[in-house]
Amino acid sequence: MSAEKTGEAAGATSLVVALLTPLPARLVRALEDAGYLVPVQADPLWHSATVAVTRGSLPTGDDVLAQLPQLALLCCWGSGYDGIDLQATSRRGIAVSRSAGGNSASVADLAMGFVIGLLRNLPQAQAHVASGAWHNAGQRLPSARGLTGTRIGVFGAGDVGRRILARARAFEMVLGCCSRRDPGLPEVRYFAQLQDLAHWCDVLVIAVRADASTQHAVNADVLRALGPDACLVNVARGSIVDEAALCAVLERRELAGFASDVFENEPAVPPAMLAFPNALLTPHVGGATDHAQQALVEAVMGNIRSFVATGRPAHPVHDVV
């Protein structure tokens, strides 16, 4: 169905919106409050949807799109869209939108929580208390590196990356970044090559968009450049890290700390990561805050309203062709 026909249908009957994955109840309420129909997948009405909402990391190609023959707009819940087959949506004349910036602040907050946790040795400190070793004065924990004066390198200088750097500045860290182009950020040292940034920094934070160019960008060479005294944090996508190379490093205890909210085959997590003593692992909750969830609802609703009114979402990944 064309964008024009979607607009005409919206004027005559309720717009049908299909959710391709479970999403927060507040989004369903917002859609229904706007007068849209949100059927469950078992309802035959689901297949007549002209708008669908999905998580951008989930594989969405011809096999999924074939179930929605009238689809005109596919909205991504979040800023990422690496799971969307854009060639398939283009062939079918489906516009794709993203929720730009909706969860950036919350993801940056989690990244800094990871940085604090690793540089202050919080996993070991908790284990020390839990084991009862704190009662033994002879088993005091060694001092931690801390944040002040420590070099943080951020891979990716988009909205999330810039927010991480801003937060790190408040902790008096030394700032560096790597991206396709020099963003020209004040007091941020730019590195054109990721391996050079890894060699320079004490903690590397991955905040770059996932696509073919960043697949396994953090490979054995980058991990070797980081060295055994550095930490690695990932709040972007699991595909950016070569998990086989990382697990080999973790098994040899050649990394000071590791934290990740994302994994290549999530929810599966490699056993080596679970066994690493200085690891912080979370189940893809970077955007799971009330502030971020409401911002994402507003972004999705804005994309739908814009598309119905103009035939173009507010934040397109690509438009109808």
Side-chain angles (χ1 to χ4, degrees), residues 26 77 102 106 287-298:
R26 69 177 71 197
W77 174 265
S106 295
T289 66
D290 288 342
H291 176 272
Q293 298 282 289
Q294 187 57 38
L296 291 175
V297 167
E298 292 170 3

PDB file of all heavy atoms in Angstrom, residues 26 77 102 106 287-298:
ATOM      1  N   ARG A  26       3.300   0.780  27.429  1.00  0.00           N
ATOM      2  CA  ARG A  26       3.035   2.210  27.231  1.00  0.00           C
ATOM      3  C   ARG A  26       2.954   2.561  25.746  1.00  0.00           C
ATOM      4  O   ARG A  26       2.258   3.503  25.373  1.00  0.00           O
ATOM      5  CB  ARG A  26       4.091   3.056  27.943  1.00  0.00           C
ATOM      6  CG  ARG A  26       5.480   3.010  27.376  1.00  0.00           C
ATOM      7  CD  ARG A  26       6.411   3.947  28.145  1.00  0.00           C
ATOM      8  NE  ARG A  26       6.711   3.448  29.480  1.00  0.00           N
ATOM      9  CZ  ARG A  26       7.207   4.212  30.452  1.00  0.00           C
ATOM     10  NH1 ARG A  26       7.414   5.496  30.243  1.00  0.00           N
ATOM     11  NH2 ARG A  26       7.489   3.698  31.632  1.00  0.00           N
ATOM     12  N   TRP A  77      11.968   0.471  16.967  1.00  0.00           N
ATOM     13  CA  TRP A  77      11.961   0.898  18.372  1.00  0.00           C
ATOM     14  C   TRP A  77      13.415   1.030  18.792  1.00  0.00           C
ATOM     15  O   TRP A  77      14.091   0.066  19.080  1.00  0.00           O
ATOM     16  CB  TRP A  77      11.223  -0.149  19.200  1.00  0.00           C
ATOM     17  CG  TRP A  77      11.247   0.070  20.680  1.00  0.00           C
ATOM     18  CD1 TRP A  77      12.111  -0.475  21.578  1.00  0.00           C
ATOM     19  CD2 TRP A  77      10.335   0.875  21.445  1.00  0.00           C
ATOM     20  NE1 TRP A  77      11.809  -0.069  22.841  1.00  0.00           N
ATOM     21  CE2 TRP A  77      10.723   0.768  22.794  1.00  0.00           C
ATOM     22  CE3 TRP A  77       9.243   1.667  21.116  1.00  0.00           C
ATOM     23  CZ2 TRP A  77      10.041   1.422  23.824  1.00  0.00           C
ATOM     24  CZ3 TRP A  77       8.576   2.323  22.128  1.00  0.00           C
ATOM     25  CH2 TRP A  77       8.962   2.202  23.462  1.00  0.00           C
ATOM     26  N   GLY A 102      16.294   8.586  21.058  1.00  0.00           N
ATOM     27  CA  GLY A 102      15.357   8.346  22.140  1.00  0.00           C
ATOM     28  C   GLY A 102      15.980   7.749  23.385  1.00  0.00           C
ATOM     29  O   GLY A 102      15.621   8.115  24.507  1.00  0.00           O
ATOM     30  N   SER A 106      20.191   7.243  28.191  1.00  0.00           N
ATOM     31  CA  SER A 106      20.158   6.076  29.062  1.00  0.00           C
ATOM     32  C   SER A 106      21.284   5.093  28.721  1.00  0.00           C
ATOM     33  O   SER A 106      21.899   4.504  29.621  1.00  0.00           O
ATOM     34  CB  SER A 106      18.801   5.374  28.948  1.00  0.00           C
ATOM     35  OG  SER A 106      17.778   6.208  29.428  1.00  0.00           O
ATOM     36  N   GLY A 287      18.569   0.834  27.084  1.00  0.00           N
ATOM     37  CA  GLY A 287      17.483   1.786  26.914  1.00  0.00           C
ATOM     38  C   GLY A 287      16.306   1.526  27.815  1.00  0.00           C
ATOM     39  O   GLY A 287      15.242   2.135  27.641  1.00  0.00           O
ATOM     40  N   ALA A 288      16.463   0.642  28.793  1.00  0.00           N
ATOM     41  CA  ALA A 288      15.334   0.252  29.642  1.00  0.00           C
ATOM     42  C   ALA A 288      15.216   1.148  30.867  1.00  0.00           C
ATOM     43  O   ALA A 288      15.362   0.703  32.011  1.00  0.00           O
ATOM     44  CB  ALA A 288      15.474  -1.210  30.052  1.00  0.00           C
ATOM     45  N   THR A 289      14.979   2.428  30.628  1.00  0.00           N
ATOM     46  CA  THR A 289      14.667   3.365  31.706  1.00  0.00           C
ATOM     47  C   THR A 289      13.346   4.045  31.368  1.00  0.00           C
ATOM     48  O   THR A 289      12.948   4.105  30.196  1.00  0.00           O
ATOM     49  CB  THR A 289      15.758   4.439  31.868  1.00  0.00           C
ATOM     50  OG1 THR A 289      15.782   5.270  30.698  1.00  0.00           O
ATOM     51  CG2 THR A 289      17.133   3.810  32.066  1.00  0.00           C
ATOM     52  N   ASP A 290      12.674   4.556  32.379  1.00  0.00           N
ATOM     53  CA  ASP A 290      11.392   5.216  32.133  1.00  0.00           C
ATOM     54  C   ASP A 290      11.549   6.385  31.168  1.00  0.00           C
ATOM     55  O   ASP A 290      10.717   6.596  30.274  1.00  0.00           O
ATOM     56  CB  ASP A 290      10.790   5.702  33.458  1.00  0.00           C
ATOM     57  CG  ASP A 290      10.280   4.557  34.320  1.00  0.00           C
ATOM     58  OD1 ASP A 290      10.070   3.454  33.772  1.00  0.00           O
ATOM     59  OD2 ASP A 290      10.096   4.765  35.530  1.00  0.00           O
ATOM     60  N   HIS A 291      12.618   7.158  31.344  1.00  0.00           N
ATOM     61  CA  HIS A 291      12.851   8.320  30.469  1.00  0.00           C
ATOM     62  C   HIS A 291      13.025   7.879  29.026  1.00  0.00           C
ATOM     63  O   HIS A 291      12.410   8.442  28.099  1.00  0.00           O
ATOM     64  CB  HIS A 291      14.081   9.088  30.949  1.00  0.00           C
ATOM     65  CG  HIS A 291      14.458  10.240  30.067  1.00  0.00           C
ATOM     66  ND1 HIS A 291      15.300  10.091  28.974  1.00  0.00           N
ATOM     67  CD2 HIS A 291      14.101  11.542  30.099  1.00  0.00           C
ATOM     68  CE1 HIS A 291      15.438  11.269  28.377  1.00  0.00           C
ATOM     69  NE2 HIS A 291      14.730  12.162  29.032  1.00  0.00           N
ATOM     70  N   ALA A 292      13.856   6.868  28.823  1.00  0.00           N
ATOM     71  CA  ALA A 292      14.118   6.407  27.465  1.00  0.00           C
ATOM     72  C   ALA A 292      12.878   5.787  26.835  1.00  0.00           C
ATOM     73  O   ALA A 292      12.580   6.021  25.659  1.00  0.00           O
ATOM     74  CB  ALA A 292      15.265   5.394  27.471  1.00  0.00           C
ATOM     75  N   GLN A 293      12.137   4.995  27.614  1.00  0.00           N
ATOM     76  CA  GLN A 293      10.963   4.335  27.064  1.00  0.00           C
ATOM     77  C   GLN A 293       9.923   5.354  26.597  1.00  0.00           C
ATOM     78  O   GLN A 293       9.330   5.203  25.529  1.00  0.00           O
ATOM     79  CB  GLN A 293      10.338   3.412  28.115  1.00  0.00           C
ATOM     80  CG  GLN A 293      11.253   2.288  28.580  1.00  0.00           C
ATOM     81  CD  GLN A 293      11.349   1.134  27.614  1.00  0.00           C
ATOM     82  OE1 GLN A 293      10.404   0.387  27.450  1.00  0.00           O
ATOM     83  NE2 GLN A 293      12.487   0.977  26.978  1.00  0.00           N
ATOM     84  N   GLN A 294       9.724   6.413  27.385  1.00  0.00           N
ATOM     85  CA  GLN A 294       8.763   7.426  26.981  1.00  0.00           C
ATOM     86  C   GLN A 294       9.240   8.182  25.752  1.00  0.00           C
ATOM     87  O   GLN A 294       8.451   8.505  24.854  1.00  0.00           O
ATOM     88  CB  GLN A 294       8.504   8.410  28.131  1.00  0.00           C
ATOM     89  CG  GLN A 294       7.379   9.400  27.853  1.00  0.00           C
ATOM     90  CD  GLN A 294       6.060   8.718  27.514  1.00  0.00           C
ATOM     91  OE1 GLN A 294       5.707   7.691  28.090  1.00  0.00           O
ATOM     92  NE2 GLN A 294       5.325   9.291  26.561  1.00  0.00           N
ATOM     93  N   ALA A 295      10.545   8.463  25.691  1.00  0.00           N
ATOM     94  CA  ALA A 295      11.097   9.147  24.517  1.00  0.00           C
ATOM     95  C   ALA A 295      10.936   8.293  23.267  1.00  0.00           C
ATOM     96  O   ALA A 295      10.650   8.814  22.175  1.00  0.00           O
ATOM     97  CB  ALA A 295      12.570   9.485  24.756  1.00  0.00           C
ATOM     98  N   LEU A 296      11.101   6.976  23.407  1.00  0.00           N
ATOM     99  CA  LEU A 296      10.937   6.081  22.263  1.00  0.00           C
ATOM    100  C   LEU A 296       9.482   6.014  21.820  1.00  0.00           C
ATOM    101  O   LEU A 296       9.189   5.964  20.623  1.00  0.00           O
ATOM    102  CB  LEU A 296      11.465   4.687  22.603  1.00  0.00           C
ATOM    103  CG  LEU A 296      12.981   4.570  22.776  1.00  0.00           C
ATOM    104  CD1 LEU A 296      13.355   3.162  23.242  1.00  0.00           C
ATOM    105  CD2 LEU A 296      13.711   4.911  21.489  1.00  0.00           C
ATOM    106  N   VAL A 297       8.557   6.001  22.777  1.00  0.00           N
ATOM    107  CA  VAL A 297       7.129   6.037  22.429  1.00  0.00           C
ATOM    108  C   VAL A 297       6.832   7.283  21.603  1.00  0.00           C
ATOM    109  O   VAL A 297       6.176   7.221  20.546  1.00  0.00           O
ATOM    110  CB  VAL A 297       6.248   6.011  23.695  1.00  0.00           C
ATOM    111  CG1 VAL A 297       4.798   6.369  23.348  1.00  0.00           C
ATOM    112  CG2 VAL A 297       6.298   4.649  24.362  1.00  0.00           C
ATOM    113  N   GLU A 298       7.320   8.430  22.067  1.00  0.00           N
ATOM    114  CA  GLU A 298       7.057   9.685  21.368  1.00  0.00           C
ATOM    115  C   GLU A 298       7.690   9.685  19.975  1.00  0.00           C
ATOM    116  O   GLU A 298       7.109  10.216  19.013  1.00  0.00           O
ATOM    117  CB  GLU A 298       7.579  10.847  22.200  1.00  0.00           C
ATOM    118  CG  GLU A 298       6.782  11.033  23.502  1.00  0.00           C
ATOM    119  CD  GLU A 298       7.431  12.023  24.454  1.00  0.00           C
ATOM    120  OE1 GLU A 298       8.467  12.616  24.079  1.00  0.00           O
ATOM    121  OE2 GLU A 298       6.894  12.201  25.569  1.00  0.00           O
TER     122      GLU A 298
END
